[in-house]
Amino acid sequence: MTIVVQDLALGGNGLSVMIKDTLDIAGHPTCAASAALADAPAALAHAQVVKDVLAANCRIIGKTSLHELAFGTTGINQWAGTALNPLYPARIPGGSSSGSAAAVAAGLADFSIGTDTGGSVRIPAACCGVWGLKPTFGRVSRQGVMPAVSSLDCVGPFAADSERLIAAMQAIDPSFKALPAVAHLNIGVVPVQAHPEVQAAVDAALQGSGFALHEQPLPGMAAAYDAGLVVINRETWNACGHLLATGKVGADIAGRLQAAADTSDAALATAEQVRQAFTAQVDAALARFPILAMPTMPDYPLLLSEAADTRAVIGMTAFVRPFNLSGHPALTLPLIGASGLPVGLQLIAAKGADELLCAVARELSRRLAR
């Protein structure tokens, strides 16, 4: 069970950090946990986020494993090894940023960095019982991040608590401002179909928060979920399709990549229309309520024994991928369900309102701890 794929010692004497192996660190190869990239040359320069982390006096102590080529939700990796879910070892660590979530859950780093194209920060954070944030699309630099071109992917942090998550954002986003006060706030609760225990944990947390709650449907979520996969498939094929010729891509990922090659221009054009419509719908909801809330995942994390086929379990991203399509910032904070298993509470804010999102999540967590 692999969490760290490479030990490092870079930077100052501040907070310790681990970096997903899709971000360039000068002098080290970026392999994305794939045998197809095992012989990749060393990166010539740091990714911008790595530069920012080092400028914040943080210590980079390792690169973390992931679902191969960041193209999966479970974190299972037959070549590089599957990261152990430290708090729930029989369960999947989630993907694709599995090692980054597991490193924080295991206490190996103060915070870690992952990427989120269709839930790849929020899903592993929810599975491993930690905090995870997908910032507003474009707010955190993707320079030096694999894939080089993406209309969905966001660099985001994991941490064991809100304070370190905020410190992580301050490190990776030089524009991150002081958090606003949030004593009184209206939250729009998005109705979804989730496991009764998952929904009960989320409902109890929201009701215990003291914030005013109002139902706010998002009827375009299902279409946005489907459209998001169309975009992911086309953009992942563009970035990684050439690796199939090596014969070294894992069978599960190779099958998904080959299927992605068939994504038509017409399907992509339809997906872009859905993107516009759903983005407008979310913007309208956030004009009514500054924060939206729902479960991060529809069910508890799968047992490892149930999660071998990525295509069969991709529905676990039903509540997260739509907000990659729309580009809104989204955060998951950890809860515990009645069965003692991890549940994520997802909060969404307006584009650019990442500070408000963090402030509400921190305040909600503080109120629940009283």
Side-chain angles (χ1 to χ4, degrees):
M1 295 286 187
T2 303
I3 293 176
V4 183
V5 296
Q6 193 168 40
D7 292 317
L8 300 171
L10 299 172
N13 56 6
L15 295 175
S16 60
V17 188
M18 289 190 179
I19 306 287
K20 184 178 182 178
D21 192 25
T22 52
L23 281 73
D24 286 346
I25 295 180
H28 302 274
T30 302
C31 300
S34 177
L37 293 171
D39 297 323
L44 298 178
H46 292 322
Q48 183 59 51
V49 168
V50 172
K51 295 177 183 177
D52 292 335
V53 164
L54 294 174
N57 198 40
C58 296
R59 293 180 293 119
I60 298 177
I61 60 175
K63 295 192 86 174
T64 56
S65 60
L66 57 141
H67 200 115
E68 184 178 3
L69 299 178
F71 197 32
T73 59
T74 65
I76 294 173
N77 189 311
Q78 301 297 336
W79 178 74
T82 301
L84 176 71
N85 186 330
L87 302 181
Y88 307 94
R91 304 275 163 171
I92 60 169
S96 65
S97 307
S98 50
S100 295
V104 165
L108 300 180
D110 290 314
F111 70 89
S112 63
I113 301 299
T115 62
D116 191 316
T117 308
S120 291
V121 166
R122 289 159 292 159
I123 291 296
C127 289
C128 293
V130 300
W131 293 64
L133 171 62
K134 181 197 82 68
T136 301
F137 179 79
R139 176 150 184 179
V140 177
S141 174
R142 294 194 66 261
Q143 182 274 322
V145 179
M146 177 187 174
V149 178
S150 174
S151 67
L152 302 176
D153 191 45
C154 302
V155 177
F158 297 86
D161 56 57
S162 62
E163 296 302 333
R164 279 179 281 188
L165 191 80
I166 292 163
M169 279 301 294
Q170 291 168 336
I172 69 174
D173 178 6
S175 72
F176 198 76
K177 305 176 184 67
L179 270 57
V182 291
H184 304 289
L185 196 82
N186 292 310
I187 292 179
V189 181
V190 180
V192 294
Q193 294 296 316
H195 186 290
E197 290 186 9
V198 169
Q199 191 65 60
V202 166
D203 290 345
L206 291 173
Q207 291 162 8
S209 72
F211 291 120
L213 306 177
H214 311 267
E215 185 171 296
Q216 176 57 64
L218 289 178
M221 276 189 65
Y225 168 74
D226 292 336
L229 184 58
V230 171
V231 176
I232 288 171
N233 282 342
R234 169 59 70 87
E235 294 182 347
T236 304
W237 170 254
N238 289 345
C240 300
H242 67 284
L243 295 175
L244 288 176
T246 68
K248 296 180 180 180
V249 177
D252 180 38
I253 301 303
R256 291 190 63 211
L257 267 178
Q258 195 61 63
D262 296 330
T263 305
S264 68
D265 290 344
L268 189 64
T270 299
E272 291 298 338
Q273 293 173 354
V274 173
R275 189 202 299 257
Q276 293 180 19
F278 183 67
T279 299
Q281 188 178 110
V282 178
D283 286 341
L286 288 165
R288 296 185 65 206
F289 310 114
I291 296 290
L292 304 178
M294 70 186 77
T296 307
M297 292 171 53
D299 206 339
Y300 290 129
L302 288 165
L303 292 166
L304 284 165
S305 59
E306 298 173 344
D309 184 353
T310 299
R311 286 168 290 189
V313 302
I314 202 165
M316 64 195 292
T317 63
F319 303 160
V320 290
R321 190 196 300 157
F323 303 103
N324 291 90
L325 190 73
S326 68
H328 294 86
L331 179 153
T332 182
L333 60 94
L335 304 172
I336 302 292
S339 295
L341 294 170
V343 171
L345 167 56
Q346 181 177 214
L347 304 177
I348 300 100
K351 293 181 182 180
D354 302 56
E355 292 88 350
L356 173 66
L357 182 62
C358 289
V360 172
R362 180 177 67 179
E363 180 62 20
L364 189 154
S365 181
R366 285 176 173 175
R367 293 181 183 185
L368 294 179
R370 291 172 185 166

